[in-house]
Amino acid sequence: DGGITQSPKYLFRKEGQNVTLSCEQNLNHDAMYWYRQDPGQGLRLIYYSQIVNDFQKGDIAEGYSVSREKKESFPLTVTSAQKNPTAFYLCASSAQRNTEAFFGQGTRLTVV
Amino acid sequence: KNQVEQSPQSLIILEGKNCTLQCNYTVSPFSNLRWYKQDTGRGPVSLTIMTFSENTKSNGRYTATLDADTKQSSLHITASQLSDSASYICVVSSNQAGTALIFGKGTTLSVSS
């Protein structure tokens, strides 16, 4: 099936550890995005990439890092510098910058 | 600053009733506007996509309107069902280079029996 896959669905980490969230798409989309969602709040953009080997910071990039070495993959690393990493993380992709975004099912990260 | 504001923040209605959700935006230059439905703990799924020249678009019991002059959109849900309980998110795209999608905070709809 074509789509966008995030893994794992639930992730637990100890405070101070880096953790990498996976996002893979087989839709042949150029653009990919990472969002963070906290209870009662909207989606906030962390990073986005419009093409392989290129990415831009979003509104809340501090404490996060990404890479885009392949068109189909856009992993997000939550570093120990992120002060409040517990949240629901959503990855999305779109054919071009202004076309419809398709979302993964999300990863719920809990840092204890 | 590009912004998308949604109202109300939350809404509770009885099954079978209609409701209307609002979205106001200040995004410029405007490209298109989408309404997404997000079930709890899941990723958002697109309901409608509207471009500058479209005023109304329907998808089953969902009807979206767009007034590009006043920069307002609405999502009308007819004959609500329990499965309509979700968060509805308005997303606006800009033609400006380097601008990503701009999300509203969503309206949480609860349909009760």
Side-chain angles (χ1 to χ4, degrees):
Chain A
D1 284 352
I4 181 165
T5 303
Q6 290 186 242
S7 61
K9 190 175 174 93
Y10 299 97
L11 189 56
F12 295 87
R13 277 296 182 270
K14 290 185 178 180
E15 192 172 346
Q17 288 183 333
N18 291 356
V19 59
T20 297
L21 282 60
S22 170
C23 179
E24 303 277 334
Q25 53 98 0
N26 59 6
L27 300 167
N28 200 33
H29 285 171
D30 285 320
M32 297 188 75
Y33 313 81
W34 273 107
Y35 294 91
R36 170 181 172 141
Q37 189 173 38
D38 294 286
Q41 295 201 33
L43 278 70
R44 292 185 290 169
L45 181 65
I46 304 172
Y47 269 97
Y48 67 100
S49 169
Q50 298 185 18
I51 197 169
V52 174
N53 291 323
D54 184 53
F55 48 83
Q56 289 80 41
K57 291 182 179 180
D59 300 320
I60 55 166
E62 184 176 353
Y64 299 98
S65 66
V66 294
S67 63
R68 188 83 188 276
E69 297 177 1
K70 298 186 296 182
K71 187 175 186 178
E72 58 269 24
S73 179
F74 191 41
L76 173 74
T77 297
V78 184
T79 74
S80 57
Q82 168 51 233
K83 292 181 173 52
N84 186 18
T86 294
F88 187 54
Y89 291 87
L90 282 163
C91 179
S93 71
S94 63
Q96 296 172 13
R97 182 166 50 85
N98 289 329
T99 57
E100 179 182 354
F102 292 82
F103 286 83
Q105 292 303 300
T107 292
R108 186 166 298 280
L109 172 65
T110 302
V111 174
V112 296
Chain B
K1 182 179 178 183
N2 289 328
Q3 286 186 316
V4 176
E5 301 286 342
Q6 291 188 244
S7 62
Q9 185 175 353
S10 61
L11 183 61
I12 302 173
I13 61 173
L14 289 175
E15 187 178 12
K17 297 296 185 182
N18 303 337
C19 68
T20 300
L21 314 180
Q22 299 290 341
C23 174
N24 297 338
Y25 61 92
T26 59
V27 178
S28 181
F30 173 85
S31 176
N32 55 58
L33 181 147
R34 306 175 184 85
W35 284 93
Y36 284 84
K37 178 185 179 186
Q38 184 181 20
D39 293 314
T40 301
R42 308 292 295 273
V45 175
S46 177
L47 292 174
T48 65
I49 302 173
M50 303 194 71
T51 60
F52 186 87
S53 59
E54 295 176 308
N55 297 119
T56 303
K57 183 174 283 188
S58 293
N59 177 5
R61 294 180 297 103
Y62 300 102
T63 299
T65 66
L66 175 66
D67 186 333
D69 292 331
T70 62
K71 298 187 178 180
Q72 297 179 327
S73 176
S74 66
L75 181 69
H76 185 75
I77 304 174
T78 305
S80 61
Q81 300 175 359
L82 296 178
S83 59
D84 292 332
S85 295
S87 179
Y88 292 84
I89 304 171
C90 176
V91 184
V92 181
S93 295
S94 171
N95 283 323
Q96 185 174 9
T99 303
L101 304 173
I102 301 133
F103 282 75
K105 292 188 177 182
T107 293
T108 300
L109 174 65
S110 298
V111 181
S112 60
S113 57

